[in-house]
Amino acid sequence: MTQPKTALLLIDVQASFPARDYWVESLAQAWRPKQRAVLNAAQTNDIPVVRILHEAPGSQGAFDPDGGLIRPLDDFNDEVAVTFQKRAHNAFSDTSLESWLRERGIERLAISGIRTEQCCETTARVASDLGFSVDFISDATLTFPMTRHGITWSADDIKARTELVLEDRFARIISTQDMINEWQTPRE
């Protein structure tokens, strides 16, 4: 049985995030090796990498293209198959990503990047609804603590919640190492 053709989505791994007040460098340091490993494995195994960058023109913030931060995060400026710039939370609504994938016969998407519960999760849901098989590489996604009504949810809490609501509904939850192992398995 042959495996479906896969692409790695590198979602919002961009210089905008360290400029935000919620950035936690220690969380980013734990995430970087996972993101780097999955990116390297995709490149080694001829899996196209699709870079997605988020922009918010006129926002006068970290996501405003005039601010110069809509570019790959340091150490992740690898050559990729294609780059899309989006203004929605998912990578499909306002880009030609779906057409690009379908033209290449890609049926399975591996999702990684920033922020776990926001653009990564939303992209996974939309991809599933569009008929793609989705591998959500949770440990290769990054998020930060959030506070609501005086209760702070840790990054781990948010990731666990995201895994809960995606698993067996919109995506298969998989670790970086398991994804790499699958990609290295010879295809028939």
Side-chain angles (χ1 to χ4, degrees), residues 1 15 22 26 43 49 57 60 72-73 77 94-95 104 108 112 117 129 131 162 171 173 176-177 180 184:
M1 180 173 101
Y22 53 74
S26 61
Q43 294 165 333
V49 177
Q60 299 179 350
L73 190 63
N77 55 356
D94 64 351
T95 70
R104 285 151 186 81
R108 176 169 231 100
S112 67
E117 79 292 350
D129 284 349
T162 298
I173 307 303
T176 294
Q177 191 57 59
I180 291 169
Q184 292 173 343

Side-chain angles (χ1 to χ4, degrees), residues 170-181:
F170 300 98
R172 176 177 69 144
I173 307 303
I174 190 166
S175 70
T176 294
Q177 191 57 59
D178 287 346
M179 187 86 274
I180 291 169
N181 292 345

Side-chain angles (χ1 to χ4, degrees), residues 11-133:
I11 298 175
D12 299 350
V13 179
Q14 65 190 72
S16 307
F17 281 101
R20 299 301 299 257
D21 60 357
Y22 53 74
W23 180 264
V24 178
E25 185 57 33
S26 61
L27 293 173
Q29 287 175 2
W31 159 80
R32 277 187 180 98
K34 303 287 188 182
Q35 184 66 81
R36 171 48 55 199
V38 78
L39 180 56
N40 289 349
Q43 294 165 333
T44 299
N45 291 286
D46 296 321
I47 293 169
V49 177
V50 178
R51 183 186 317 280
I52 309 293
L53 297 172
H54 189 87
E55 64 179 19
S59 64
Q60 299 179 350
F63 293 92
D64 189 327
D66 292 339
L69 297 175
I70 311 301
R71 58 181 165 74
L73 190 63
D74 290 345
D75 300 323
F76 292 100
N77 55 356
D78 306 58
E79 187 172 322
V80 297
V82 65
T83 298
F84 292 99
Q85 293 184 319
K86 65 178 179 60
R87 295 180 183 177
H89 288 105
N90 76 82
F92 291 96
S93 291
D94 64 351
T95 70
S96 57
L97 173 60
E98 181 182 7
S99 297
W100 188 91
L101 296 167
R102 299 227 189 265
E103 288 167 5
R104 285 151 186 81
I106 294 170
E107 300 171 358
R108 176 169 231 100
L109 302 178
I111 294 184
S112 67
I114 307 174
R115 292 181 60 173
T116 306
E117 79 292 350
Q118 196 164 320
C119 296
C120 294
E121 178 182 334
T122 307
T123 297
R125 288 172 178 264
V126 173
S128 175
D129 284 349
L130 291 172
F132 293 96
S133 296

